[in-house]
Amino acid sequence: MALNLKGTIETLKKALSKAWDRQSRAFLLDLLTEAGLLGAGETPHQDELARIHEKAESYLGVGLAEAARQPVISAQAAAYRTGKRAVGIDFSFTRADLNALDLLREDMLFWIGKSYDRRFSGWMGDRVREYFSEGLSRVQLTERIAEQLDVIDPNVKDYLALMADHNTTRIAEMGHVSGYEEAGVEYAEIVAVMDARTSPICRHLNGRIIPVSAMSAQRDRLLSAAKSRSIEAAKKAQPMLSAAAGKGLDILNETRTGKIIEEGIGLPPYHFRCRTTTVAHFEPAEYPEKVKEWTINGEVPRDKVSELVGYAKNARWGTHKTIWKKNEGGDDKPHLTAFVHYMKHRSQFKHIYIGSQLEYNEHAIGIIRGGKRDLYLAIRDKEHPYPVLIAYNPHTEEFAAVNIKGQNIATYFNVDNEGWNNIVKKHEVMIALPKEVQKWIPFINI
């Protein structure tokens, strides 16, 4: 889908740029023609300023929208179709799809037509009055306007390119929603392009599972906003987030997907020039994949918490071998992983005594099973999302981690407050399990 959509976006950007060029040339030609008819070397009258403004609005506003009509229709239809096909089936358009495209097309053309008024009309008017006060001839005034259009030109084209990118991406996602509805898909997964350009917003949202019903409701709000031509309604229907300030920071600080959806965040794009999309999601069959889903969504279903802790309680050290490194006091040879961790960490504990490998193993299992510790689900890197269940007791300074995939104890060692804070910082996702669940888990002697 990404390549098809990218090509559609680039085609629309070029078409809007060419439409602006054609309309700008037509506007200047009209001014020169009028100058020739009225007297090119004469100074224009005061009332001609109003005519210049009218012509600018006609060519660079409404005229630009009409010049853009055909490429906008083509691009939106292609983007919507790309979104529907990405669900997995070559769906045909329904009447509801065509009605939505009609609304979205007229909405985009309306704002293309208003782009000159909203962004440059006042500025251009000020410049025209300045030149008029200098006593320029009609031709000289037209030449000055042409010079200023060269200044305005890159700003307008950047704005139109941004509009093309944002609008086409959003319409493709609406096509996704239509495809999900027709295919009976109940949930979708947010998929960000994870690279150096990925925004903090999309990295935070990547992998989250959202109900298609929430996406459908947001789609309907966007269509309602398009019908009303209200910028405020459009902003409310699909807030554009920023990691720098405002609502973006609130979202970055919110771990629960459910709460994020309540804030009106569902469909991409989540910010301008957003590359994130969604894919159909089906409930995973394997338990570790379910836990990964809970972790990324920031919330374990309450009826699943005791099940999760029970799963972790049965974790054991793996039977695989690990190199005992010389810089950790070892011999650079492979040994059982429990032995390597024991030799590495046995002397670090401050509040408990560990005199043997057996005691080390018992304490490791004890903190996972015991009731006097805090439990967390965590993922270090969302690009490689393998969740771990972490047990931490700030009083005894014990720390243990269980790999959910494999049901193995990953490590057990002593960590002070500073070390714990460093562990938290290293994990991209970290959610606390409910405190009250801990009393359900009795301590079991090994």
Side-chain angles (χ1 to χ4, degrees):
M1 171 190 164
L3 290 176
N4 291 340
L5 187 60
K6 185 177 180 180
T8 300
I9 291 171
E10 290 304 314
T11 299
L12 182 55
K13 286 180 181 179
K14 291 176 182 177
L16 295 182
S17 177
K18 288 180 180 178
W20 169 261
D21 289 338
R22 289 197 302 270
Q23 292 305 109
S24 298
R25 287 194 296 269
F27 169 52
L28 294 171
L29 178 60
D30 196 345
L31 294 185
L32 286 171
T33 301
E34 186 170 295
L37 294 172
L38 296 175
E42 297 179 11
T43 302
H45 301 297
Q46 182 73 39
D47 62 359
E48 289 183 46
L49 294 181
R51 287 180 58 78
I52 291 174
H53 278 298
E54 288 175 6
K55 287 180 185 295
E57 182 178 0
S58 175
Y59 283 101
L60 305 178
V62 176
L64 176 62
E66 286 308 308
R69 180 172 292 274
Q70 189 277 328
V72 165
I73 291 173
S74 297
Q76 289 188 336
Y80 200 90
R81 183 182 294 109
T82 297
K84 290 196 75 169
R85 285 179 174 173
V87 176
I89 304 174
D90 189 6
F91 297 100
S92 60
F93 280 3
T94 66
R95 174 52 58 187
D97 294 329
L98 295 177
N99 289 342
L101 280 170
D102 284 345
L103 271 176
L104 294 168
R105 176 191 66 210
E106 293 306 318
D107 181 59
M108 185 175 184
L109 292 172
F110 175 80
W111 292 115
I112 288 175
K114 287 295 182 182
S115 63
Y116 178 80
D117 288 346
R118 292 181 59 231
R119 299 177 68 83
F120 304 107
S121 178
W123 185 86
M124 188 70 166
D126 292 341
R127 301 291 82 74
V128 170
R129 280 188 289 274
E130 289 174 8
Y131 309 145
F132 180 82
S133 66
E134 295 177 22
L136 301 178
S137 70
R138 290 188 177 96
V139 169
Q140 287 173 322
L141 180 57
T142 301
E143 289 172 346
R144 287 290 188 89
I145 291 173
E147 291 174 3
Q148 292 308 314
L149 280 176
D150 284 340
V151 175
I152 292 174
D153 181 86
N155 293 325
V156 171
K157 288 182 177 178
D158 283 348
Y159 174 75
L160 292 176
L162 180 65
M163 183 181 289
D165 190 327
H166 180 71
N167 185 272
T168 308
T169 302
R170 184 176 65 179
I171 286 174
E173 203 56 48
M174 289 187 179
H176 266 149
V177 175
S178 178
Y180 296 149
E181 290 172 335
E182 290 182 38
V185 176
E186 295 184 8
Y187 293 92
E189 179 180 346
I190 298 172
V191 180
V193 179
M194 302 293 276
D195 57 24
R197 293 170 49 204
T198 308
S199 70
I201 293 291
C202 288
R203 183 171 287 275
H204 185 62
L205 295 175
N206 181 55
R208 293 179 182 272
I209 310 302
I210 52 178
V212 170
S213 59
M215 300 172 73
S216 300
Q218 185 179 12
R219 184 265 322 273
D220 293 343
R221 293 195 298 270
L222 281 165
L223 292 176
S224 178
K227 189 174 184 178
S228 70
R229 306 275 167 75
S230 166
I231 292 180
E232 292 307 313
K235 288 179 178 178
K236 187 174 181 180
Q238 187 168 42
M240 288 294 99
L241 305 175
S242 168
K247 196 162 189 174
L249 278 178
D250 296 338
I251 296 301
L252 284 174
N253 291 330
E254 179 56 61
T255 59
R256 293 173 296 164
T257 301
K259 183 64 176 178
I260 291 172
I261 292 172
E262 288 177 11
E263 293 294 319
I265 311 302
L267 285 175
Y270 302 115
H271 55 83
F272 292 109
R273 306 203 187 282
C274 181
R275 297 174 294 157
T276 294
T277 186
T278 62
V279 297
H281 177 83
F282 302 96
E283 185 176 358
E286 294 186 6
Y287 190 71
E289 290 296 314
K290 291 182 181 180
V291 177
K292 180 184 78 172
E293 183 178 304
W294 299 338
T295 311
I296 292 176
N297 280 335
E299 192 169 19
V300 181
R302 293 199 65 84
D303 61 342
K304 300 294 184 181
V305 175
S306 59
E307 174 186 313
L308 172 62
V309 178
Y311 180 88
K313 282 195 309 182
N314 291 317
R316 295 291 187 272
W317 288 103
T319 57
H320 62 286
K321 293 186 176 182
T322 303
I323 298 296
W324 185 16
K325 298 177 182 178
K326 282 189 177 180
N327 61 5
E328 295 173 353
D331 54 12
D332 268 348
K333 294 181 180 180
H335 300 271
L336 287 174
T337 185
F339 173 78
V340 173
H341 280 268
Y342 164 64
M343 297 301 293
K344 180 179 176 180
H345 300 301
R346 60 180 176 172
S347 62
Q348 299 173 351
F349 292 91
K350 300 176 183 177
H351 303 286
I352 59 175
Y353 173 75
I354 293 177
S356 67
Q357 173 82 68
L358 178 61
E359 288 181 338
Y360 178 79
N361 293 349
E362 287 177 342
H363 280 291
I365 294 172
I367 188 177
I368 295 167
R369 294 183 171 183
K372 295 181 179 180
R373 79 284 188 255
D374 300 322
L375 291 177
Y376 303 85
L377 261 182
I379 287 176
R380 183 180 288 268
D381 184 353
K382 287 177 78 175
E383 290 186 57
H384 308 284
Y386 298 108
V388 296
L389 186 138
I390 290 173
Y392 172 61
N393 187 329
H395 303 293
T396 62
E397 297 186 339
E398 292 174 273
F399 171 92
V402 173
N403 286 325
I404 299 300
K405 186 175 183 178
Q407 206 173 8
N408 293 325
I409 298 173
T411 189
Y412 170 62
F413 56 85
N414 183 92
V415 61
D416 58 17
N417 187 60
E418 182 180 355
W420 169 247
N421 289 334
N422 288 333
I423 288 172
V424 172
K425 290 177 183 177
K426 288 179 180 178
H427 285 82
E428 197 167 348
V429 180
M430 195 159 185
I431 60 171
L433 294 185
K435 292 274 187 183
E436 59 268 23
V437 76
Q438 297 175 11
K439 64 186 179 184
W440 305 340
I441 310 162
F443 179 78
I444 303 175
N445 291 322
I446 304 302

